[in-house]
Amino acid sequence: MFYSDIAALIPFYDTYGQNSTCILFKDGSKEYASCSIKTYIYRMLYTLHLDPKAIRHWTHQVIGSKLNTPVVIDNNLIFLPVKLRKGVGKQDGCFGYVNSSFIVAIEDNQLTLINSQILTTLSPKSYILKKQNAAKLLGYAYVDYKKQFEFMWKEKVT
């Protein structure tokens, strides 16, 4: 599985009523994980040797917001938070994450993905556009930040 093929992370309740994650891929296939989206994202970031807390801190510094911020993995792989269901209780994960590069059309309470799949959302168009702008800003900041440390990976010519 390539994380760059993930189109969306969708929260749902399994047969036992527990928070679970549906991973929707760009080809339309799905996988299911028996953990919350937060846990799935943390595991994904740790698998990629990225620190979730450092990413949240850096994201807060760039866009000035701490709540429901986009998840940056690379400048081409940024997941937008979108409210996909109503919360049942306190601390219930009702936000899913959509790969910003796979969004084709945004309408009120609806997203169309690159594979022609339509996601029904509870987020208005203005909210999604705001998060999309924050994701673009984070993408530019990521490229700029990465240039500062490019010298560490360049091969030395002798």
Side-chain angles (χ1 to χ4, degrees):
M1 168 179 56
F2 293 109
Y3 293 119
S4 58
D5 291 340
I6 296 175
L9 300 172
I10 303 168
F12 76 98
Y13 297 111
D14 64 8
T15 55
Y16 301 108
Q18 295 179 336
N19 275 327
S20 296
T21 303
C22 174
I23 302 110
L24 179 66
F25 293 97
K26 70 179 177 184
D27 64 359
S29 62
K30 296 178 182 178
E31 276 187 24
Y32 299 95
S34 59
C35 61
S36 68
I37 287 185
K38 180 180 178 180
T39 302
Y40 185 84
I41 289 174
Y42 270 53
R43 288 178 184 168
M44 178 174 61
L45 292 173
Y46 282 129
T47 300
L48 295 169
H49 303 286
L50 299 171
D51 181 13
K53 290 183 180 183
I55 290 172
R56 284 183 57 94
H57 179 72
W58 179 79
T59 301
H60 167 63
Q61 285 182 324
V62 174
I63 62 174
S65 176
K66 285 187 178 183
L67 294 175
N68 301 323
T69 57
V71 176
V72 180
I73 296 174
D74 195 329
N75 61 320
N76 297 321
L77 188 56
I78 301 174
F79 290 95
L80 303 178
V82 178
K83 190 168 185 175
L84 296 173
R85 68 175 184 193
K86 286 191 176 193
V88 173
K90 190 176 181 180
Q91 295 294 326
D92 185 29
C94 54
F95 277 85
Y97 286 84
V98 180
N99 190 331
S100 62
S101 60
F102 291 163
I103 297 174
V104 175
I106 301 171
E107 298 172 26
D108 269 340
N109 303 323
Q110 186 172 304
L111 283 176
T112 306
L113 301 179
I114 202 165
N115 57 7
S116 300
Q117 284 198 305
I118 296 173
L119 285 179
T120 304
T121 70
L122 299 177
S123 299
K125 182 178 180 177
S126 59
Y127 174 84
I128 297 170
L129 290 174
K130 179 181 170 186
K131 294 300 176 182
Q132 208 170 30
N133 288 337
K136 286 180 186 175
L137 177 64
L138 287 167
Y140 295 137
Y142 180 86
V143 170
D144 189 47
Y145 188 74
K146 195 174 168 182
K147 284 181 183 176
Q148 295 176 19
F149 301 100
E150 212 170 47
F151 69 92
M152 298 170 96
W153 292 282
K154 285 188 177 179
E155 290 184 33
K156 293 182 180 179
V157 180
T158 55

